Amino acid sequence: MSDHAVMMASRRGPLHGLSLPKGTDFSLSEAPHAARFILRGDGASVAAFGPAAPKPLQGSAAGTRTALWLGPYEFLLLAPEEDATTVEAGLKATLPAGTSSLVDISHRQIGLVLEGRLAARCLSAGCPLDLALAAFPVGMATRTIYLKTEIVLWRQAETRFHVEVWRSFAPYLVGHLADALAGTNGL
Amino acid sequence: MLLIRCPYCEMERPELEFRYGGEAHVARPLDPMATSDDEWADYLYFRSNPRGLHAERWRHINGCGRFFNAIRDTVSDKIVVTYKAGEARPATTGEIA
Ligand SMILES: [Zn+2]
């Protein structure tokens, strides 16, 4: 076994040992490990990554790669973990020097997948945005907060959200989401 | 909850996503070495602190991350208008409550 394989086999995420809600009304799971980059620059720069430049407050996907709009000139790029090197090399070759930056943040945060009828309700326990489908439609993505932690929230379907959270805040977020689920008892 | 319209996100967002950034349109003297102590102190420490409409900086820190400006009535706490950083202060009529 190579050193790399040993490292992967023993890797423990911040949710290790926590029990996550796994019901049909609400399930919470960690998204697969990913390569993550913050791209600061013009929307046109996203093209070299794959997806079209996302519109404000939107996500844009092509195959296994996703770009989320975080702000003007700021994008979160998500790709399978094994693509990290090729993503970086591809963008480095095309980014205009001096007016853009690319930072690898793969290990700064983790992805969570929230699924089920009660997903929006559990998120609403700590996120002050209006998560009704009309106000936060499928495809919308934004940086926001959940209680005291910053998150990136992306609605992939009516009852499915992808959440990015800084890894040391993840147990805090997951604990409060589980509490929120307990609070929906009977709904 | 107070809703603040972010001119970059172009939507109203909850106040919890924002941070206050002090009075807007306070220009740093272009040549500090040529500025008298009084003028420098005025730039550093003295603000208009009006009763009524106040142009101030806000940052959508837990959103798009951008600084922008808002005109807020310091009596009613109502935000009359928000606009992008770098834009001139829009004309507003006084509406002291
Ligand atoms: Zn904004």
Side-chain angles (χ1 to χ4, degrees):
Chain A
M1 207 163 19
S2 70
D3 288 351
H4 183 64
V6 170
M7 186 198 81
M8 298 300 247
S10 62
R11 188 157 67 168
R12 281 184 184 177
L15 303 184
H16 180 80
L18 297 178
S19 72
L20 306 178
K22 286 281 174 255
T24 49
D25 287 340
F26 181 61
S27 81
L28 180 54
S29 52
E30 186 173 347
H33 294 300
R36 299 178 173 85
F37 295 88
I38 291 288
L39 172 62
R40 302 296 299 254
D42 200 78
S45 309
V46 176
F49 172 63
K55 294 187 176 71
L57 300 170
Q58 294 287 312
S60 166
T64 55
R65 296 186 179 183
T66 301
L68 304 179
W69 186 94
L70 295 185
Y73 314 110
E74 185 178 5
F75 305 91
L76 172 61
L77 310 181
L78 302 173
E81 185 171 41
E82 57 273 20
D83 287 3
T85 316
T86 49
V87 167
E88 186 176 333
L91 281 164
K92 257 185 178 169
T94 57
L95 285 181
T99 57
S100 51
S101 77
L102 182 71
V103 179
D104 186 333
I105 54 149
S106 300
H107 301 257
R108 184 182 76 179
Q109 60 205 44
I110 65 167
L112 297 173
V113 178
L114 282 65
E115 239 179 329
R117 183 176 66 86
L118 296 175
R121 188 179 289 270
C122 291
L123 279 166
S124 291
C127 177
L129 288 173
D130 183 354
L131 299 181
L133 197 58
F136 201 101
V138 174
M140 186 165 169
T142 184
R143 186 160 43 201
T144 180
I145 48 171
Y146 189 96
L147 298 176
K148 292 183 179 180
T149 183
E150 182 175 283
I151 60 171
V152 173
L153 183 60
W154 173 33
R155 187 171 218 157
Q156 295 177 308
E158 182 172 354
T159 58
R160 181 185 165 98
F161 294 86
H162 181 100
V163 173
E164 292 278 319
V165 60
W166 287 28
R167 53 181 297 124
S168 60
F169 290 92
Y172 170 87
L173 174 63
V174 165
H176 279 286
L177 283 168
D179 270 2
L181 179 64
T184 64
N185 194 16
L187 290 171
Chain B
M1 184 172 299
L2 187 65
L3 296 175
I4 300 174
R5 181 177 175 81
C6 171
Y8 293 95
C9 293
E10 296 184 337
M11 69 179 292
E12 291 191 331
R13 303 279 292 223
E15 60 174 311
L16 295 178
E17 292 181 346
F18 295 87
R19 293 290 182 282
Y20 179 69
E23 183 169 3
H25 308 298
V26 178
R28 187 176 193 274
L30 290 174
D31 185 2
M33 292 305 286
T35 306
S36 73
D37 286 355
D38 281 352
E39 286 167 340
W40 190 247
D42 192 49
Y43 159 70
L44 280 184
Y45 302 116
F46 292 93
R47 297 294 178 259
S48 58
N49 194 28
R51 179 177 188 274
L53 297 183
H54 184 228
E56 53 200 23
R57 304 198 314 155
W58 284 79
R59 187 179 180 203
H60 194 189
I61 187 166
N62 294 121
C64 66
R66 288 279 148 161
F67 277 96
F68 60 93
N69 294 327
I71 294 186
R72 181 177 60 92
D73 189 319
T74 59
V75 177
S76 65
D77 205 28
K78 184 188 173 198
I79 291 178
V80 180
V81 64
T82 57
Y83 52 104
K84 290 180 178 176
E87 292 179 356
R89 176 178 175 153
T92 42
T93 49
E95 44 181 271
I96 294 175

